[in-house]
Amino acid sequence: MRTQGLYIGGAWQHPDTTFTVTDPWDGTVVGRVASAEAHQAAAAVDAAVAADCPAAHERARMLRRTADLVEERAELFAQTIRAEAGKPISAARGEVGRAVDTLRLSAEEARRLAGEAIPMDAVAAGEGLLAFTVPRPVGPVAAITPFNFPLNLVAHKVGPAVAAGCPVLLKPSERTPLTAGLLVECFDEAGLPAGMLNLVTGDPGTVVGTWTDDPRVSVLTFTGSASVGWSLKQRSPAKRHVLELGSNTAMVVADDADLDAAVQAAVTAAFTYSGQACISLQRVYVTPGAAEPFLERLAKAAESLVSGDPKDESTVVGPLISAEATQRVRSWVEAALSSGASLRAGGDVTDGVLRPTVLADVPSDASVMCEEVFGPVVSVNTVPDLDAAVREVNASRFGLNTAVFTASTATALKYVRQAEAGAVLVNLAPSFRTDHMPYGGVKDSGEGREGVPYAVRALLDPKLVILGG
């Protein structure tokens, strides 16, 4: 069991008030973590404002060293992710590898910060003048991260901020704070100066509320639910916001699709880590010629997945983050069935784990269709043609990632043009993501883009310099 304090101004603090972190699989206590009060959250802002930001080459060196330390301690990180998040160990190891990449990509970006020359003589008033911009860090960044990727999503907030020269106030999910603490230890060992990274855990209302209301905090970057994200923006309109707010991801399968590839993509996107990802697949729209063959293969593939203990190397679907989450998702499945949907696979809970579930003919107003499930449930509906599929996809209030499977270039390009989403993938799982690509959504899926280069740009302002004669 790990005991973890607050990290403020380069030093660990251990207040008397703590909370416990438990393993979603068996309920054992895996950590006791400090719970901050408002004055400690404010002290973290003080430390961030006072931080001495190192030069770009030094920030790059520290990010590279941090990546090396994470890589050296990969199994410790993976086992910690498995224990506090309930993530199957194979998926946890994959997350660690991605986080190492994210940190190394951030190190590269730290050395690429550059302004641009401004052609002042483009207008008569500018003749004889020389002008250029210098990138300037915007200031302290409050980073609020969710439980589902407790290492890589933290790396996506902290790495670009350090690269840009912005001090960070980190508030990880109270369900998964231990992995974040391990990462902070690596940054500390890599030599990041005091105040450049501060870890404050505890009640979100206390910690995040303090930062949201503090005018010294320049940026709020948040990954989580739409309701919370938009409320944070409403509460702090003067700040810059990067909001990644989830989705109910859709995929379209045309008659001419490679069904084996489409089924494999659906299985990967819907059931990896029990569907607990912003871009996990929830909705599939299939044209008539492919509908029944696709459903049969998908149901068979879902039934073959190993569910259960996350420590088992073969487990694909482990427990949801809490018993309450399992009950919620199961109730949504039962509501869909009561409304006329049919069950093609799963639907039951075994040893506390909701097995991979495939539904068909689901009403469009069912929660499993129009809300974010965050569980191992996928719904498959037949549509007459691509136009109908596009209408169904775009009817959602979300728009993060979407995918289409087809052998027709014309069909693919039509879908690319018409689908309302931050990313459209062709013949790829809609859950596909690399850590340097622009990532973010439209509508209720948020605003701004993550992906290391794009996140860095969001944290810089161009300072204009004009030289007279």
Side-chain angles (χ1 to χ4, degrees):
M1 187 182 73
R2 178 177 169 85
T3 300
Q4 182 171 292
L6 311 174
Y7 184 78
I8 298 174
W12 289 97
Q13 303 178 12
H14 296 277
D16 293 335
T17 305
T18 63
F19 61 95
T20 59
V21 179
T22 58
D23 187 327
W25 168 246
D26 58 17
T28 58
V29 175
V30 296
R32 296 193 184 278
V33 179
S35 185
E37 297 182 6
H39 72 90
Q40 290 159 325
V45 182
D46 295 339
V49 171
D52 183 14
C53 180
H57 72 94
E58 282 294 313
R59 301 198 302 273
R61 181 190 62 77
M62 293 168 188
L63 283 161
R64 287 196 305 273
R65 178 57 180 151
T66 301
D68 292 344
L69 291 169
V70 173
E71 190 170 49
E72 290 169 12
R73 301 165 190 177
E75 189 62 16
L76 172 61
F77 274 97
Q79 293 294 347
T80 304
I81 293 168
R82 189 270 309 160
E84 66 176 352
K87 181 172 287 191
I89 188 60
S90 58
R93 291 189 180 114
E95 181 180 348
V96 176
R98 284 185 59 190
V100 171
D101 284 344
T102 299
L103 293 167
R104 287 180 175 153
L105 288 165
S106 298
E108 293 172 10
E109 290 302 317
R111 303 182 72 145
R112 292 176 180 159
L113 307 183
E116 62 177 336
I118 309 299
M120 295 300 290
D121 62 355
V123 297
E127 285 189 40
L129 300 179
L130 177 65
F132 55 90
T133 61
V134 177
R136 172 184 175 274
V138 296
V141 175
I144 299 95
T145 58
F147 73 83
N148 56 329
F149 285 85
L151 178 58
N152 197 37
L153 289 186
V154 172
H156 267 284
K157 309 290 190 189
V158 178
V162 172
C166 295
V168 184
L169 307 158
L170 174 62
K171 163 63 177 70
S173 168
E174 58 273 23
R175 295 190 180 277
T176 56
L178 303 174
T179 307
L182 291 174
L183 181 61
V184 169
E185 289 178 357
C186 291
F187 270 105
D188 182 73
E189 189 172 332
L192 193 67
M196 282 297 294
L197 175 58
N198 304 274
L199 173 68
V200 184
T201 47
D203 174 63
T206 299
V207 177
V208 180
T210 299
W211 296 343
T212 302
D213 296 341
D214 194 320
R216 297 175 296 170
V217 177
S218 301
V219 180
L220 193 152
T221 174
F222 170 83
T223 300
S225 70
S227 60
V228 174
W230 295 126
S231 69
L232 291 173
K233 180 175 181 179
Q234 185 177 33
R235 183 169 169 174
S236 56
K239 298 188 192 305
R240 189 171 303 185
H241 298 83
V242 179
L243 304 175
E244 199 282 278
L245 305 179
S247 193
N248 58 349
T249 300
M251 186 172 96
V252 173
V253 181
D255 282 357
D256 62 355
D258 180 335
L259 289 188
D260 288 337
V263 167
Q264 183 55 56
V267 169
T268 298
F271 303 130
T272 298
Y273 187 36
S274 303
Q276 295 178 115
C278 300
I279 44 179
S280 291
L281 178 64
Q282 283 185 219
R283 302 177 291 150
V284 183
Y285 299 101
V286 191
T287 51
E292 192 54 35
F294 176 83
L295 258 171
E296 289 178 357
R297 297 185 200 186
L298 178 60
K300 183 178 180 181
E303 293 282 7
S304 70
L305 296 177
V306 177
S307 303
D309 189 346
K311 294 189 290 294
D312 189 327
E313 299 282 350
S314 63
T315 295
V316 175
V317 179
L320 296 184
I321 192 63
S322 67
E324 293 78 12
T326 303
Q327 180 55 40
R328 174 188 59 80
V329 176
R330 190 179 186 188
S331 71
W332 286 11
V333 170
E334 291 171 349
L337 295 174
S338 298
S339 299
S342 61
L343 182 67
R344 302 297 291 261
D348 58 318
V349 176
T350 302
D351 295 328
V353 176
L354 178 63
R355 295 199 306 119
T357 300
V358 179
L359 302 173
D361 305 316
V362 185
S364 59
D365 61 351
S367 294
V368 292
M369 292 287 283
C370 60
E371 301 295 335
E372 186 174 36
V373 174
F374 239 59
V377 179
V378 64
S379 300
V380 182
N381 284 355
T382 304
V383 291
D385 52 35
L386 181 70
D387 290 336
V390 170
R391 287 193 297 271
E392 294 289 346
V393 170
N394 290 347
S396 172
R397 65 188 177 96
F398 297 108
L400 189 48
N401 280 16
T402 187
V404 61
F405 276 78
T406 177
S408 166
T409 301
T411 298
L413 291 177
K414 182 177 181 180
Y415 190 73
V416 166
R417 287 192 298 270
Q418 295 181 353
E420 297 171 356
V424 181
L425 295 93
V426 178
N427 295 326
L428 286 170
S431 59
F432 177 81
R433 179 185 180 185
T434 61
D435 296 293
H436 66 296
M437 75 184 204
Y439 177 77
V442 299
K443 300 190 282 188
D444 259 2
S445 286
E447 66 179 32
R449 292 294 181 269
E450 291 196 331
V452 173
Y454 303 88
V456 171
R457 292 174 202 170
L459 302 178
L460 297 169
D461 278 335
K463 178 182 284 187
L464 178 64
V465 179
I466 303 176
L467 304 178

